[in-house]
Amino acid sequence: ITTYKEVELRIPHDFHGTEEERIVSSCDLSKETIQTIQRVRHHLEQHHFFNSASPDDKVGWLPSHAIDLAKHGELTAHVDSVKFSGGIVAGLSLLSSSIMRLRPEKEKKEEEGYIDLWLEQGSLYVLSGVARYEYTHELLPSGSIFTKLGGMEEEEIQVERDRRLSVIFRDAKF
């Protein structure tokens, strides 16, 4: 990643320290920010985790983090680390729309091609399963073309990416 800032967004449920440490870790986040993180996590738990047999089965979350990517910043092709994070990587796209490109990972490259995802401002994307582990993801530069398929017609949309803020969510590996 180039030309960016990243900050960890710890909320009280992420921290297993003392009560005093919990308060300090979340004091910079607004109540609305904490509620948004919790709402997105709840949505992900309800719609992307199928192994929970009972309501007592809780998903463990790594602390969310925000990535502030400059207009001309780059997010090059990569697969997020599998050492600590679990089965999903999700992102809430804020401030600017962009195009995410998924390509087969080089070591597993039995097939060619790619798929583009149009990440509109305010959208939530989720990478899981094959997309999480066997495909790289990257953000295309400003001015890239997204081809929107709709029935028999294609529509080409030039996506002008400005400063992009995203909040990233990862479940913990157990």
Side-chain angles (χ1 to χ4, degrees), residues 104-149:
E105 189 179 20
K106 292 196 185 302
E107 290 96 39
K108 301 175 183 177
K109 198 170 192 174
E110 297 171 7
E111 53 187 271
E112 294 293 322
Y114 61 87
I115 186 164
D116 287 342
L117 306 175
W118 183 14
L119 306 179
E120 291 186 88
Q121 179 183 1
S123 65
L124 176 69
Y125 69 87
V126 179
L127 301 177
S128 63
V130 173
R132 161 77 174 96
Y133 294 106
E134 297 182 23
Y135 282 74
T136 63
H137 59 279
E138 63 189 289
L139 289 181
L140 299 185
S142 184
S144 296
I145 304 293
F146 179 79
T147 304
K148 185 176 180 181
L149 304 175

Side-chain angles (χ1 to χ4, degrees), residues 11 30-42:
I11 62 174
S30 70
K31 181 179 177 182
E32 293 80 11
T33 300
I34 292 171
Q35 289 173 338
T36 299
I37 290 170
Q38 291 172 328
R39 273 196 320 268
V40 171
R41 286 179 175 177
H42 179 74

Side-chain angles (χ1 to χ4, degrees), residues 70-85:
K71 180 177 183 169
H72 298 292
E74 296 179 13
L75 180 69
T76 57
H78 67 283
V79 174
D80 286 31
S81 172
V82 297
K83 187 174 181 179
F84 300 107
S85 58

